[in-house]
């Protein structure tokens, strides 16, 4: 089976090598090979998750090699103190080396190890990957003549090597010189793992900083820190100030009145503050939300304080004060405007939206909590006392309800607070 | 007072007409003669108003004699008794020095004689400025007192106000300060927070302020009503020109906030000042916050009209600028003396410093700048002294910009000649460098003044060529053909002749080349201004980088005119070393010419020299992140 497919794949490899060695490295050939290779070799109908694209799912190989797998599982199982960390992982790898001097079953072991890496928390450790590659016997799989070069040589081993690199790629681990050296030793210069390696080397640096708004890899577990980060991320104004209005009270706190006090973190920029001060008190403002924001695998929910767009007739035209600048005229008194040829402004049809005055992330999404947020806001925005606040809280429709490490999702809102009768949330009531 | 009487009298005699000129300044609307055409504004049209600038203004021999009589003691006093280092270190001008300055009459130089001042003309005032600039702190203190502090009373005060205040101000018994800027408002008059409210009996204004979230309100506890920060002479002064907002009923019945100027005495009560600020330079001058708290100001102390404070403030600021040129020139001349002394004695590699080309270059630069600066200042002062109140605010602003930047550059170079020696606290150059830095900032920062220079001129030119521009925009065939034809004609590189040279020329033949360069620059400047107005119209105010270049060209043109005018005069009347002057003038003109050519080409559309788009983009990207955004050169991605 693999022979036939390897034959079919060989031109792909040649093409890809041509691309790498040639001037232009086209993206097409790369993606083709990378995609075809695993599918073709494994004949696995199961769709792989992106995490372990090349690592076969445990069920499939177990059926074929039930006997072989068990001892390796044991190797990982028998850590001395049951701790799962880098040391015990390396110990298992070392144990495999001692156990099987001729490296028999090393491919299976590597696949298993790749699957186990997350458990041991070493999935981002370059040294561990290099250790894994080191398990391969050296010089054995290197093609020795041109026929071997043309056809895929030791496809299962090569594919295993690619799987290691693929997992590195998925976890953003950049291979180093040692990796290169190992790969050359094991598979030779013109091999699929080497090709993969070169692609990593080429594209990783280029895409590393492609995101202008990077999210740190390890997000804080503390909801306050997470909320602060999320709010900073939403708010474009750098002078905006994050305020921690209240933090979640612990179980044994002395606060009898409110034992389950959720945290409230808000953000407001000086401009927003000024806009709120200018707001016409006869028009209500709205607390809306929760809206979701995903940060890696965490989801936070935020609320905004906003107003409707003023109707055209009520907008004040900002007039230029006559006596403004003591030193030079702010506008020239001429009756001809900019020439069309020098007007580089694009005619952009902008959708105008009402102003947003503040945002917050709270531990609970009920009205009581948000009303408290408005109270706190009032300390810095006295104008808020005069403005009616309407709560428009809705359940987050269409969002994932469960996710690992997720903040508890808001309860399916049974209080659909569409207060159309302008429920006034006057300060001082509470 | 009696001590200064002698000097006052000796200096007073033949200036009655001058003082009259100053005195009648407030009656400007009565003037019937046609307005004097300002030179700088005409440059924007590509024309040189020869009559305004040629020949170079002169003073009579009598005046000259008097001023030299007066200069002697002042110079003696400054060289012998003023210890600049001590003033700088202690951050205070000693009282006895101040007393002596008062007795010399230096506090009332431009106050008309009938009010006990010296009534000096602008030219004479500039001449004296050369001497007083020997100490930066004293120079600034004097300028804050009379160039802006009491100028309001001279320009806009009533008879009674003048009679009441000017004598004591002129004698130095009272010191004046000018209170305009506030913590929240720099050049922004609209954000002035201070308020004055008319009392019930309509006899007083009560200075009242709204409590904003300004720095000063936080500093002051309960009673602070109004804070004016950084007022030079704030601690010394007992008479303040204060600008505050008052409610004024407009002609259409609506109530508006307008700025009104007041004369406030310290004795009115409620006037306090903070402690003197510690500054980088001019440390001897007294700069501090002044607070007015429920100060009762009598109605008769309103300066000018109620609600007319903006105009008063602008007039004061515009009138006070030109004198910086002579002060800096005086300083530069002394600086050249001191540095030359050093360069000719110090030896390096068995050679004197003065033999090195790179050192010589610096002296040439200093001399050129000083020469151009002097020429510009005295040309402007002469224009201002002409009867008929010419509006020379653009010229004055140009002098200020040019002289302050030249001062900074030259002091910097001079310090460089001294090397490490100049960097030491003991040397005078370090102090001069610090003192000089303020020149670029006060009396309107140079950036703001450039905007003023360019926009005022463009406004004038824009009005005049309105009709032409409308025709061009309507694509009127004759106008377009004419324009295209003229462009083609210009393109051939024709020579421009505006009559500066030649048989009836005003410029001496030895400066002919430079004069031609000036003519050419002026002509193409006019063309460029027209193009710019056609391109940007009234929105040109937003193109600050364009305006900066326009201002730079204009400053250069004015400098060229001034040096040509002065050098021509020097040759014709055979002043000493006039060949040196010709050399300086010609060099200055050539340099300015090429600078202008470059700026003009940058003002072309799609000019490769013009990097404005890139500049804007770079700064945008930085300001968006509010930081330097490049990765560190040692950073790596793999």
């Amino acid at each position: 089976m693999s022979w036939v497919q390897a034959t079919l794949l060989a031109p792909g490899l040649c093409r890809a090598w041509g691309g790498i060695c040639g001037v232009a490295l086209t993206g097409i050939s790369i993606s083709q090979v990378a995609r075809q290779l695993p599918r073709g070799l494994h004949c696995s109908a199961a769709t792989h998750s992106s995490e372990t694209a090349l690592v076969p799912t445990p069920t499939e190989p177990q059926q074929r090699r039930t006997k072989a797998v068990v001892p390796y599982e044991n190797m990982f199982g028998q850590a001395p103190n049951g701790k799962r960390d880098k040391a015990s992982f390396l110990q298992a790898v070392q144990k495999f080396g001692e156990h099987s001097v001729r490296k028999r079953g090393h491919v299976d072991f590597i696949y298993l190890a790749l699957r186990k890496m997350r458990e041991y928390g070493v999935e981002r450790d370059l040294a561990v990957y290099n250790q894994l590659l080191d398990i391969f016997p050296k010089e054995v799989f290197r093609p020795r003549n041109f026929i071997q070069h043309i056809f895929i040589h030791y496809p299962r081993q090569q594919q295993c090597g690619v799987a290691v690199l693929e997992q590195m790629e998925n976890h953003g681990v950049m291979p180093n010189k040692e990796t290169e050296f190992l790969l050359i030793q094991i598979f030779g210069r013109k091999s699929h793992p080497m090709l993969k390696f070169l692609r990593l080397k080429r594209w990783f640096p280029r895409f590393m900083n492609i995101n202008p708004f990077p999210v740190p890899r390890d997000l804080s577990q503390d909801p306050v820190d997470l909320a602060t980060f999320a709010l900073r991320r939403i708010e474009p104004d750098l002078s905006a100030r994050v305020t921690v209005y209240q933090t979640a009270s612990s179980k044994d706190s002395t606060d009898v009145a409110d034992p389950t006090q959720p945290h409230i973190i808000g953000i407001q920029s000086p401009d927003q503050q000024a806009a709120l001060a200018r707001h016409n008190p006869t028009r209500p403002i709205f607390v809306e939300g929760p809206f979701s924001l995903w940060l890696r695998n965490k989801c936070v929910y935020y609320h905004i304080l906003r107003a409707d767009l003023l109707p055209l007739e009520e907008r004040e035209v900002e007039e230029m004060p006559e006596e403004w600048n003591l030193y030079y005229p702010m506008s020239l008194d001429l009756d001809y405007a900019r020439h069309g040829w020098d007007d580089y402004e694009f005619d952009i049809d902008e959708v105008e939206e009402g102003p947003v005055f503040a945002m917050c992330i709270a531990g609970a999404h009920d009205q009581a909590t948000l009303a408290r947020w408005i109270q706190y806001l009032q300390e810095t925005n006295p104008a808020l006392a005069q403005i009616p606040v309407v709560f428009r809280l809705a359940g987050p429709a269409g969002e994932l309800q469960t996710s690992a490490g997720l903040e508890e999702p808001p309860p399916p809102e049974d209080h659909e607070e569409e207060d159309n009768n302008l429920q006034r949330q006057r300060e001082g009531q509470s | 007072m009696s001590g200064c009487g002698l000097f006052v009298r000796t200096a007073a005699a033949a200036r009655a007409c001058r003082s009259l000129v100053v005195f009648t300044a407030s009656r400007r609307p009565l003037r019937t003669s046609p307005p004097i055409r300002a030179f700088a504004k005409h440059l924007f049209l590509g024309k040189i108003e020869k009559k305004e600038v040629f020949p170079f203004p002169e003073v009579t021999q009598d005046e000259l004699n008097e001023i030299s009589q007066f200069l002697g003691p002042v110079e003696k006093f400054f060289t012998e008794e003023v210890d600049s280092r001590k003033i700088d270190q202690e951050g205070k001008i000693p009282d006895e020095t101040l007393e002596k300055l008062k007795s010399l009459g230096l506090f009332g130089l431009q106050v008309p004689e009938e009010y006990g001042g010296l009534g000096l003309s602008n030219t004479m005032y500039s001449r004296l400025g050369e001497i007083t600039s020997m100490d930066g702190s004293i120079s600034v203190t004097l300028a804050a007192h009379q160039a802006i502090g009491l100028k309001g009373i001279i320009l806009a005060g009533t008879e009674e106000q003048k009679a009441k205040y000017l004598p004591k101000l002129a004698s130095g018994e009272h010191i004046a300060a000018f209170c305009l800027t506030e913590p929240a408002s720099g050049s922004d008059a609209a954000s002035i927070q201070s308020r004055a409210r008319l009392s019930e009996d309509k006899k007083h204004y009560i200075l009242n302020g709204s409590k904003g979230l300004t720095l000063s309100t936080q500093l002051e506890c309960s009673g602070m009503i109004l804070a004016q920060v950084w007022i030079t002479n704030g601690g010394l002064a007992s008479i303040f020109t204060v600008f505050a907002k008052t409610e004024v009923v407009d002609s259409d019945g609506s109530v508006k906030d307008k700025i009104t100027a007041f004369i406030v005495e310290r004795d009115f009560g409620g006037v306090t000042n903070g402690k003197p600020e510690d500054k980088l330079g001019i440390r001897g001058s007294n700069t501090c916050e002044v607070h007015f708290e429920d100060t009762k100001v009598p109605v008769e102390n309103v300066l000018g009209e109620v609600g007319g404070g903006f105009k008063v403030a602008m007039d004061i600021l515009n009138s006070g600028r030109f004198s910086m040129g002579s002060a800096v020139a005086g300083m530069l001349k002394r600086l050249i003396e001191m540095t030359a002394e050093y360069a000719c004695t110090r030896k390096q590699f068995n050679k004197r410093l003065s033999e090195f080309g790179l050192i010589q270059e610096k002296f040439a630069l200093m001399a050129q700048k000083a020469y151009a600066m002097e020429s510009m200042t005295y040309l402007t002062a002469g224009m201002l002294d002409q009867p008929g109140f010419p509006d020379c605010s653009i010229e004055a602003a140009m002098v200020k910009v040019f002289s302050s930047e030249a001062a900074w550059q030259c002091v910097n170079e001079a310090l460089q000649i001294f090397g490490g020696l100049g960097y030491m606290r003991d040397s005078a150059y370090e102090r001069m460098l610090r003192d000089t830095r303020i020149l670029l900032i006060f009396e309107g920062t140079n950036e703001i003044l450039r905007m003023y220079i360019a926009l005022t001129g463009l406004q004038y030119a824009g009005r005049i060529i309105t009709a032409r521009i409308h025709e061009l925009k309507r694509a009127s065939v004759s106008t377009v053909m004419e324009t295209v034809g003229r462009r083609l004609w210009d393109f051939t590189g024709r020579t421009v002749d505006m009559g500066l040279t030649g048989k009836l020329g005003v410029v001496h033949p030895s400066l002919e080349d430079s004069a031609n360069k000036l003519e050419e620059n002026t002509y193409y400047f006019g063309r460029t201004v027209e193009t710019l107005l056609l391109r940007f119209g009234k929105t040109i105010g937003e193109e600050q980088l364009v305006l900066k270049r326009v201002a730079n060209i204009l400053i250069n043109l004015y400098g060229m005119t001034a040096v040509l005018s002065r050098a021509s005069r020097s040759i014709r009347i055979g002043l000493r070393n006039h060949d040196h002057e010709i050399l300086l003038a010609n060099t200055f003109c050539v340099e300015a010419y090429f600078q202008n050519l470059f700026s003009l080409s940058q003002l072309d559309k799609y000019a490769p020299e013009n990097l404005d788009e890139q500049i804007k983009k770079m700064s945008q990207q930085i300001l968006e992140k509010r930081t330097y955004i490049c990765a560190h050169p040692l950073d790596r991605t793999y």
Side-chain angles (χ1 to χ4, degrees):
Chain A
M1 172 204 84
S2 48
W3 171 254
V4 177
Q5 283 183 344
T7 324
L8 290 174
L9 276 170
L13 180 64
C14 296
R15 199 166 61 225
W17 268 113
I20 283 207
C21 303
V23 181
L25 187 74
T26 58
I28 306 159
S29 64
I30 291 158
S31 60
Q32 272 177 354
V33 177
R35 291 265 165 75
Q36 285 170 3
L37 194 59
R39 294 240 177 100
L41 287 175
H42 271 287
C43 305
S44 160
T47 46
H48 301 300
S49 74
S50 64
E51 276 293 305
T52 55
L54 293 188
V55 183
T57 49
T59 49
E60 187 217 0
Q62 261 174 0
Q63 282 167 354
R64 287 198 277 155
R65 298 181 293 273
T66 321
K67 278 178 192 164
V69 169
V70 178
Y72 309 148
E73 285 281 5
N74 285 347
M75 273 172 207
F76 279 105
Q78 54 191 228
N81 47 10
K83 246 174 66 180
R84 305 199 149 192
D85 56 1
K86 188 178 171 183
S88 55
F89 189 89
L90 289 180
Q91 212 173 13
V93 172
Q94 203 183 352
K95 209 169 279 173
F96 172 77
E98 291 162 8
H99 162 82
S100 154
V101 183
R102 293 184 184 77
K103 309 254 170 137
R104 202 172 66 194
H106 64 268
V107 171
D108 296 315
F109 178 80
I110 290 170
Y111 277 130
L112 179 72
L114 285 179
R115 278 201 304 279
K116 291 274 179 197
M117 283 179 98
R118 285 195 77 147
E119 288 173 31
Y120 285 78
V122 290
E123 75 272 19
R124 292 199 188 106
D125 197 325
L126 175 62
V128 175
Y129 284 104
N130 285 340
Q131 285 284 331
L132 278 186
L133 285 177
D134 202 21
I135 295 173
F136 282 109
K138 312 291 173 318
E139 306 291 337
V140 181
F141 309 133
R142 291 181 72 154
R144 279 159 218 290
N145 53 47
F146 77 99
I147 294 179
Q148 287 175 348
H149 266 301
I150 290 172
F151 299 108
I152 193 160
H153 194 51
Y154 284 102
R156 212 166 98 76
Q157 280 76 6
Q158 285 211 29
Q159 212 250 317
C160 181
V162 170
V164 175
L165 289 164
E166 171 97 7
Q167 186 154 333
M168 288 169 79
E169 180 186 352
N170 289 337
H171 289 118
V173 182
M174 182 76 186
N176 63 359
K177 277 265 173 233
E178 193 188 343
T179 322
E180 185 183 11
F181 184 69
L182 280 168
L183 287 173
I184 290 171
Q185 263 197 326
I186 300 163
F187 298 111
R189 278 203 180 276
K190 295 193 175 179
S191 59
H192 282 287
M194 201 53 205
L195 191 62
K196 179 83 190 167
F197 169 83
L198 289 174
R199 281 171 188 154
L200 286 186
K201 275 291 227 196
R202 178 176 175 88
W203 292 111
F204 254 25
R206 281 162 183 74
F207 290 146
M208 190 167 272
N209 293 312
I210 199 100
N211 185 359
F213 309 104
V215 185
R217 181 172 278 162
D218 300 309
L219 284 166
S220 166
Q221 293 297 324
D222 180 21
V224 174
D225 289 350
L226 192 68
T228 310
F229 175 75
L231 287 172
R232 280 250 171 262
R233 199 172 156 79
I234 307 172
E235 174 65 55
D237 191 345
L238 292 177
S239 22
R241 230 186 30 231
V242 174
T243 320
V244 179
Y245 293 113
Q246 63 181 37
T247 49
S249 59
S250 53
K251 286 268 161 34
D252 51 27
S253 86
T254 53
D255 193 359
V256 192
D258 190 8
T260 55
Q261 175 184 306
H263 61 269
I264 302 175
I265 294 102
I267 191 165
Q268 195 180 32
S269 69
D271 286 351
Q272 288 173 327
Q273 219 164 350
L276 189 56
R278 277 199 309 270
H279 184 79
N280 181 1
T282 57
R283 296 187 154 270
I285 55 177
F286 308 99
V287 174
E288 288 188 357
F291 303 106
S292 62
L293 173 75
W294 282 93
L295 301 164
R296 293 201 181 271
N297 57 358
K298 292 202 173 74
C299 185
V300 290
Y301 294 90
Y302 64 95
H303 295 261
I304 58 171
L305 181 68
R306 58 163 277 258
D308 278 335
L309 194 63
L310 274 180
L312 270 178
E313 61 272 14
E314 279 187 35
R315 283 183 215 173
E316 288 172 21
V317 185
E318 209 170 289
E319 60 179 50
M320 202 180 264
E322 289 166 51
E323 302 182 342
W324 198 358
N325 191 326
L326 279 163
Y327 292 95
Y328 62 89
M330 293 296 271
S331 65
L332 287 193
D333 180 22
L334 299 174
D335 58 350
Y336 37 94
R338 184 178 281 252
H339 198 277
W341 291 349
D342 276 282
D343 194 355
Y344 296 113
E345 295 285 308
F346 284 108
D347 187 14
I348 302 170
D349 223 1
E350 283 185 358
V351 179
E352 284 190 83
E353 287 187 332
V356 173
F357 299 122
M359 285 182 290
C360 86
I361 291 180
H365 308 288
D366 51 30
Q367 192 175 333
T369 312
L370 295 169
R372 204 164 311 135
W373 170 48
I374 300 295
Q375 271 179 37
Y376 286 126
L377 265 184
Q378 207 172 329
E379 287 168 15
T380 46
N381 300 276
L384 211 51
Q386 267 74 50
I387 307 171
V389 180
V390 180
F391 288 83
R392 280 185 185 168
L393 307 175
E399 272 146 21
L400 291 180
Q401 291 296 308
T402 50
S403 175
L406 182 71
E407 175 196 347
E408 82 202 68
E413 306 294 314
D414 37 350
H415 48 91
E416 284 279 323
E417 243 120 348
E418 288 285 349
D419 295 13
N420 289 330
N421 52 351
L422 303 191
Q423 178 201 352
R424 300 211 158 196
Q425 192 69 29
R426 271 295 169 95
E427 200 37 48
Q429 277 180 357
S430 42
Chain B
M1 184 67 205
S2 59
C4 74
L6 182 75
F7 296 110
V8 172
R9 231 148 276 153
T10 47
R15 280 180 303 279
C17 62
R18 299 292 177 210
S19 59
L20 240 158
V21 165
V22 180
F23 171 56
T24 44
S26 55
R27 297 187 192 154
R28 211 159 153 179
L30 294 178
R31 171 167 49 76
T32 49
S33 58
I36 299 242
R37 301 207 278 184
F39 168 76
K41 284 182 178 173
H42 271 258
L43 287 177
F44 279 87
L45 297 171
K47 292 177 188 155
I48 295 176
E49 283 290 308
K50 276 180 288 185
K51 278 199 292 279
E52 299 289 321
V53 287
F54 292 101
F56 198 74
E58 288 182 335
V59 291
T60 59
Q61 191 60 45
D62 291 346
E63 272 182 296
L64 207 58
N65 291 343
E66 272 165 38
I67 197 72
S68 44
Q69 266 180 24
F70 183 57
L71 283 179
V74 177
E75 195 161 5
K76 186 157 171 280
F77 168 68
F78 267 90
T79 41
E80 288 173 9
E81 291 181 44
V82 175
D83 185 353
S84 292
R85 180 182 302 164
K86 196 172 148 222
I87 291 177
D88 183 62
Q89 275 169 359
E90 292 179 0
K92 190 175 180 301
I93 303 171
D95 288 339
E96 55 268 29
T97 312
L98 273 181
E99 285 309 313
K100 193 74 198 293
L101 288 171
K102 286 172 189 171
S103 68
L104 282 169
L106 291 177
F107 277 75
L109 293 175
Q110 284 204 291
V111 176
E113 278 160 81
E114 61 261 46
Y115 301 115
L118 296 181
L120 293 186
S121 66
N122 289 308
T123 311
M124 291 300 117
Y125 178 66
S126 303
R127 180 71 186 92
L128 205 66
E130 291 186 28
I131 310 296
T132 52
S133 68
M134 281 171 128
D135 184 88
S137 302
I138 293 177
S139 185
V140 167
T141 305
L142 290 177
H145 169 73
Q146 51 195 346
I148 51 174
L150 59 78
K151 203 62 165 269
I153 302 177
I154 298 178
L155 288 179
T158 60
E159 251 352 280
E160 294 78 38
Q161 287 168 348
K162 286 182 182 176
K164 185 174 175 194
Y165 291 110
L166 284 183
K168 286 188 173 174
L169 287 168
S171 68
E173 191 180 337
H174 288 162
I175 292 180
F178 182 76
C179 304
L180 179 64
T181 43
E182 286 187 20
S185 74
S187 310
D188 185 355
S191 62
I192 286 182
Q193 303 265 329
S194 33
R195 302 198 69 89
R197 173 172 50 84
L198 199 58
S199 66
E200 299 290 310
D201 56 1
K202 308 223 163 178
K203 284 184 180 165
H204 289 91
Y205 274 96
I206 296 169
L207 274 181
N208 255 330
S210 60
K211 283 179 191 169
L213 274 172
T214 58
L215 176 71
S216 49
T217 42
Q218 285 159 1
L219 284 174
E220 292 300 302
C221 31
S222 57
M224 214 291 298
I225 298 302
L226 155 69
Q228 310 274 2
V229 287
W230 307 330
I231 307 304
T232 311
N233 289 357
L236 305 170
S238 37
I239 309 282
F240 302 89
T241 312
V242 184
F243 294 84
K245 282 198 172 162
T246 48
E247 285 188 348
V248 177
V249 182
D250 242 9
S251 51
D252 57 348
S254 60
V255 178
K256 271 191 173 173
D257 276 349
K258 287 203 153 184
I259 300 167
T260 305
F262 299 93
I263 307 170
V264 180
E265 296 175 31
R266 196 180 274 275
D267 301 338
F268 287 167
V271 183
T272 49
N273 56 270
K275 72 171 180 37
E277 303 282 336
D278 203 4
K279 302 183 290 290
L280 175 72
I282 53 165
R283 292 165 53 84
S285 69
N286 179 303
T287 306
C288 61
E289 288 183 27
V290 179
H291 311 304
F292 298 93
E293 178 191 334
D294 283 339
T295 306
K296 276 174 116 184
V297 187
V299 180
E300 54 268 26
N301 272 28
V302 171
L303 199 52
E305 290 169 30
V306 175
F310 190 80
K311 181 91 182 31
V312 174
M314 255 175 42
D315 285 348
I316 295 172
L317 289 169
N318 281 342
S319 71
R321 285 192 192 112
F322 76 98
S323 60
M324 186 188 288
S326 67
V328 172
M331 183 205 71
L332 276 188
K333 285 193 272 187
R334 285 188 296 276
L335 188 68
I336 291 175
E337 259 176 52
M338 294 191 290
T339 11
E341 177 74 30
Y342 178 79
C344 292
T345 46
R346 165 113 175 168
K347 281 195 170 187
Q348 293 268 294
F349 315 118
N350 252 341
K351 269 180 166 183
R352 295 216 167 76
L353 273 191
S354 54
E355 292 171 50
F356 292 104
L358 288 178
I359 301 293
Q360 290 166 357
E361 187 193 19
K362 297 186 199 303
F363 283 99
L365 175 94
M366 286 195 276
Q368 252 183 69
K369 294 278 180 192
Y371 186 73
M373 199 182 303
E374 262 183 347
S375 314
M376 284 164 87
T377 312
Y378 285 100
L379 181 64
T380 312
M383 281 166 145
L384 280 168
D385 281 337
Q386 280 172 9
F389 316 107
D391 176 20
C392 292
S393 53
I394 300 188
E395 283 86 348
M398 289 196 284
V399 171
K400 193 261 167 182
V401 173
F402 182 84
S403 57
S404 58
E405 279 172 13
W408 178 242
Q409 198 185 355
C410 291
V411 173
N412 197 18
E413 295 288 1
L415 194 130
Q416 193 70 19
I417 294 174
F418 280 88
L421 217 59
Y423 194 70
M424 297 301 149
R425 218 45 216 262
D426 282 343
S427 76
Y429 308 96
E430 167 273 345
R431 190 185 64 242
M432 280 173 116
L433 191 82
R434 285 188 285 113
D435 286 354
T436 315
R437 192 61 187 79
I438 190 63
L439 300 178
L440 305 158
I441 298 169
F442 69 3
E443 295 192 10
T445 64
N446 283 4
E447 284 73 15
I448 274 186
L449 288 182
R450 284 205 162 88
M451 293 300 110
Y452 173 76
I453 293 165
L455 283 173
T456 316
L458 286 170
Q459 171 75 73
Y460 177 80
R463 284 225 188 98
I464 288 183
I465 57 175
T466 299
R468 252 186 74 75
I469 286 192
H470 277 306
E471 275 177 27
L472 276 174
K473 289 208 168 175
R474 274 202 311 274
S476 145
V477 178
S478 60
T479 318
V480 173
M481 288 303 287
E482 188 207 325
T483 311
V484 171
R486 208 167 52 189
R487 289 290 152 93
L488 284 174
W489 183 223
D490 292 347
F491 191 68
T492 59
R494 70 196 186 90
T495 53
V496 183
D497 185 13
M498 293 183 188
L500 288 186
T501 53
K503 239 179 192 174
L504 295 169
V506 283
V507 175
H508 192 267
S510 55
L511 297 159
E512 196 175 344
D513 272 354
S514 301
N516 286 335
K517 287 193 165 67
L518 171 65
E519 285 170 335
E520 192 197 314
N521 268 172
T522 310
Y523 176 78
Y524 287 107
F525 179 61
R527 293 281 84 79
T528 308
V529 164
E530 194 182 307
T531 318
L532 287 176
L533 283 167
L534 186 63
R535 280 175 63 192
F536 298 113
K538 62 183 170 195
T539 61
I540 198 162
E542 296 153 25
E543 305 288 328
Q544 294 207 328
L545 295 177
V546 169
L547 294 177
K548 179 196 81 178
R549 291 193 190 104
V550 169
N552 282 347
I553 296 173
L554 199 74
I555 292 169
N556 272 338
L557 289 180
Y558 190 54
M560 285 161 94
T561 317
V563 295
L564 286 177
S565 174
R566 176 177 168 194
S568 299
R569 169 179 177 267
S570 302
I571 309 169
R572 288 196 172 131
I573 64 172
L575 286 182
R576 193 189 298 276
N577 291 335
H578 59 73
D579 54 335
H580 182 67
E581 284 190 36
I582 294 168
L583 191 62
L584 287 177
N586 276 329
T587 324
F588 178 82
C589 285
V590 173
E591 258 179 35
Y593 170 75
F594 284 109
Q595 277 171 16
N596 281 346
L597 283 191
F598 185 66
S599 296
L600 284 171
S601 65
Q602 277 186 319
L603 286 175
D604 276 350
K605 207 176 174 180
Y606 306 128
E609 299 94 336
N610 186 334
L611 298 174
D612 291 358
E613 286 308 308
Q614 287 89 325
I615 288 169
K616 279 183 197 161
K617 202 169 168 185
M618 277 189 285
S619 53
Q620 249 170 26
Q621 288 174 348
I622 290 165
L623 294 173
E624 197 181 318
K625 297 272 187 251
R626 302 191 186 173
T627 176
Y628 172 74
I629 54 177
C630 297
H632 192 272
L634 299 179
D635 277 357
R636 43 186 295 165
T637 51
Y638 54 87

